[in-house]
Amino acid sequence: MPASTEASTRVGAVSAVPAASSVTDSRMAPGGPGYRRMSFALFLAGVATFALLYSTQALLPLISGEFGVAASEASWTVAAATGGLALFVLPMSALSERFGRRTVMTASLAVAVTVGLLVPFAPSLPALVALRAVQGAALAGLPASATAYLAEEVRPKALVTAIGLFVAGNSVGGMSGRVITGWVAQEWGWRVAVGVIGVIAVACAVAFRLLLPAPKHFAAGSLKPRVLLGTVRTHLSDPLLRRLYAIGALFMTVFGGVYTVIGYRLAEAPFSLPQGIIGSIFLVYLVGTVSASTAGRLVGRLGRRGALYAAGGTTATGLLLSLSGSLWLVLLGLVLITGGFFAGHAVASSAVSKTATHGRAQASALYQSAYYVGSSAGSTVGALAFHAGGWAGTVGVGLLAVLGVVSITVLGTRAARAGQRLATA
């Protein structure tokens, strides 16, 4: 992680504020009261979020066929959802500071699943894109509020693991949504497929609300625009946070581009796979579940910056392997891309929550906004690159984004060394 010495000092300061022995710290920890319920509840929220957000991604070839549009136009059903989330995540985080994390997450899921049940009835591509934009805006209440909830309710040493489990829920939701829609659509069409995802998301939302423990450490903040803008300016003036935001956006540019276009590639020669099999390709998301949930151990072994180098290298290797004409090498490439992405995302998002000493919801919201801007950019640019240069064009976009991650991490490493020299001077 591009963490500087200054950042390490801040993180240590945050952890030390309670001077907390395990006896006096009432926050949740693995094995303690409420931790399993909380973890499972947020895992389900992560499942619902990604299942809904990317419910049309594996179905883009079918949507293109029904409405008679190219990949670059159909990709807007994904880009509109992620763009809506990116646009509204900061305002929703402000509402969570005032009305509470659990309240905002519950309301967001309720609206998103309601829209999800309407999506199958969209009469045209513009109507479908509009519904998806509303759905993404509703889902904006989940990511930032969830990480802020964890930062307040979970002990610092368990934070990376707890956020990793939430991110793992994202990967399960993304995987199951694509696999389920692929097979359902093969038999009954894409409209029935997204309807099934809507019903599954309703079940996840109800279970989430029943399981999530009431917050014990939340302190209501202000909704005054001046206060909010001041907090945002403070976060954006922090070099470490800016680097983390850029890393999140670049990782998601890779991921969004690859998974928006991969269905088109696998449907064409030389693979010519049926829709059900294409949907099953997304089982590689299980790799993301593992890599995200074990991100804490990776950081323990390599450090944050080392973990980011490893994640970037893994992703780049996967991109290069995916250029092969062998289906098995393409699948291996997707495994590496997925594992590298989810590990990098878990490390970066947890670092944001640890680094911010106040306004954590806004700090997380800015990360999520950058992250989903990257998703929208990846979906759109990746599809355009595919149209212009085939799969090699999409891979080229991804490699440029990984190069950006590595470059920013190098800057963080240099900043950390400069800070050490100043400290010892």
Side-chain angles (χ1 to χ4, degrees), residues 90 93-94 97 222-238 241 245 356-363 366:
L90 188 58
S93 74
E97 292 280 9
S222 173
L223 270 178
K224 294 179 180 178
R226 184 185 304 174
V227 175
L228 175 62
L229 291 175
T231 302
V232 170
R233 279 196 298 268
T234 299
H235 292 326
L236 291 178
S237 67
D238 187 318
L241 288 176
Y245 297 153
T357 57
H358 70 286
R360 284 193 177 99
Q362 279 73 50
L366 288 168

Side-chain angles (χ1 to χ4, degrees), residues 308-322:
L308 273 185
Y309 285 128
T314 301
T315 303
T317 302
L319 286 167
L320 292 173
L321 283 176
S322 73

Side-chain angles (χ1 to χ4, degrees), residues 1-36:
M1 179 67 51
S4 63
T5 302
E6 175 189 3
S8 300
T9 303
R10 273 180 285 160
V11 171
V14 173
S15 300
V17 167
S21 67
S22 59
V23 176
T24 59
D25 194 338
S26 60
R27 288 173 290 183
M28 288 182 280
Y35 185 85
R36 286 187 178 180

Side-chain angles (χ1 to χ4, degrees), residues 175-247:
M175 178 271 295
S176 60
R178 290 164 172 89
V179 172
I180 292 169
T181 56
W183 285 105
V184 173
Q186 184 170 299
E187 296 296 327
W188 295 289
W190 70 267
R191 294 180 183 274
V192 174
V194 293
V196 169
I197 294 302
V199 172
I200 292 172
V202 168
C204 288
V206 171
F208 161 80
R209 185 60 182 84
L210 293 174
L211 290 172
L212 189 69
K216 296 181 180 179
H217 302 277
F218 170 73
S222 173
L223 270 178
K224 294 179 180 178
R226 184 185 304 174
V227 175
L228 175 62
L229 291 175
T231 302
V232 170
R233 279 196 298 268
T234 299
H235 292 326
L236 291 178
S237 67
D238 187 318
L240 172 59
L241 288 176
R242 288 202 303 268
R243 290 195 293 270
L244 293 173
Y245 297 153
I247 285 170

Side-chain angles (χ1 to χ4, degrees), residues 399-411:
L399 289 173
L400 285 175
V402 172
L403 179 61
V405 169
V406 173
S407 299
I408 292 168
T409 307
V410 169
L411 290 176

